[in-house]
Amino acid sequence: EAAVTQSPRSKVAVTGGKVTLSCHQTNNHDYMYWYRQDTGHGLRLIHYSYVADSTEKGDIPDGYKASRPSQENFSLILELASLSQTAVYFCASTPGTEVFFGKGTRLTVV
Amino acid sequence: GEQVEQLPSILRVQEGSSASINCSYEDSASNYFPWYKQEPGENPKLIIDIRSNMERKQIQELIVLLDKKAKRFSLHITDTQPGDSAMYFCAASVNYGSSGNKLIFGIGTLLSVKP
């Protein structure tokens, strides 16, 4: 099965601080995504990338940056964390159709 | 942005009965429609999918129907079991040309199967 590894699995961050969520895939997939999950909102796309060194904005990119330094790695960066960014974040990869999700990162901003 | 509407948000059924979840999408160019099941504390996992060249697909107790004209698709779980209790998400692919593909998800349906 496709392997998508996220780190950390959980994090408590201080308001205004910088947070970096990391994602690594060993599947040689072109596409990688960052989704955010909140109750009542399902899975919302933050940023995605279909090739190394390039990222695209998803549906809710405000307050987030993304970085794809290599095909295997895709990071989500919160430069100034806010309370509203408390959520579970999922990284995913796909060769083009089936999407494989990581285990998720539970981020709590206090 | 593109939307995928999913109903109902909560579904309670008796063990052995059928459960149906309905989704609709906006982009007529969408050509891939997967369904994901998420257990509590776990990541979403693909359970069945259908492409736009099909109208019906079945894998064991899971049936997916696609109506391209109406831009609707649905998941039907026959003979539900307590182990089917979970959150279910539908999704539709959206192609943005040089910006690649995106998968847009519905808000999810929390299915509870009572013994």
Side-chain angles (χ1 to χ4, degrees):
Chain A
E1 183 173 307
V4 180
T5 305
Q6 292 182 235
S7 62
R9 293 294 316 280
S10 67
K11 184 174 180 63
V12 179
V14 177
T15 302
K18 182 177 181 178
V19 177
T20 299
L21 306 183
S22 299
C23 180
H24 179 79
Q25 57 113 348
T26 57
N27 311 305
N28 203 32
H29 290 165
D30 289 330
Y31 288 88
M32 295 188 76
Y33 304 96
W34 275 106
Y35 285 93
R36 166 180 174 154
Q37 184 171 29
D38 302 272
T39 303
H41 289 281
L43 293 157
R44 292 184 290 173
L45 184 62
I46 307 171
H47 285 287
Y48 66 106
S49 169
Y50 58 94
V51 67
D53 294 322
S54 178
T55 63
E56 304 290 336
K57 292 182 179 179
D59 298 318
I60 53 164
D62 293 345
Y64 303 94
K65 290 183 180 179
S67 174
R68 183 98 181 264
S70 64
Q71 187 179 36
E72 298 79 19
N73 296 293
F74 190 37
S75 298
L76 185 68
I77 303 140
L78 291 65
E79 295 280 2
L80 295 169
S82 67
L83 295 174
S84 66
Q85 292 177 313
T86 292
V88 177
Y89 293 84
F90 286 100
C91 176
S93 76
T94 177
T97 51
E98 180 176 355
V99 174
F100 297 90
F101 286 89
K103 295 288 189 184
T105 297
R106 183 173 295 277
L107 176 64
T108 303
V109 182
V110 298
Chain B
E2 295 290 334
Q3 301 258 5
V4 173
E5 294 203 5
Q6 181 173 351
L7 291 170
S9 56
I10 299 174
L11 181 58
R12 296 187 179 95
V13 301
Q14 208 68 37
E15 180 179 357
S17 65
S18 296
S20 295
I21 304 171
N22 299 293
C23 290
S24 61
Y25 59 99
E26 295 182 345
D27 188 349
S28 56
S30 293
N31 59 7
Y32 176 66
F33 307 92
W35 288 86
Y36 283 80
K37 177 182 181 181
Q38 185 180 28
E39 314 254 11
E42 293 292 322
N43 53 350
K45 293 181 175 64
L46 180 73
I47 53 173
I48 190 169
D49 57 14
I50 190 167
R51 297 184 180 276
S52 58
N53 60 350
M54 300 175 69
E55 295 179 348
R56 184 182 190 278
K57 184 175 181 179
Q58 180 167 3
I59 297 176
Q60 297 180 335
E61 78 280 6
L62 303 176
I63 300 170
V64 173
L65 302 176
L66 173 63
D67 182 343
K68 287 181 292 182
K69 280 188 178 180
K71 292 191 277 189
R72 292 178 183 170
F73 57 113
S74 56
L75 173 68
H76 306 273
I77 306 174
T78 61
D79 188 23
T80 54
Q81 301 298 312
D84 293 324
S85 296
M87 181 71 81
Y88 290 82
F89 292 98
C90 65
S93 66
V94 178
N95 183 277
Y96 284 87
S98 59
S99 296
N101 287 326
K102 294 196 310 186
L103 203 57
I104 307 298
F105 285 85
I107 65 168
T109 296
L110 183 61
L111 173 64
S112 175
V113 180
K114 298 179 182 180

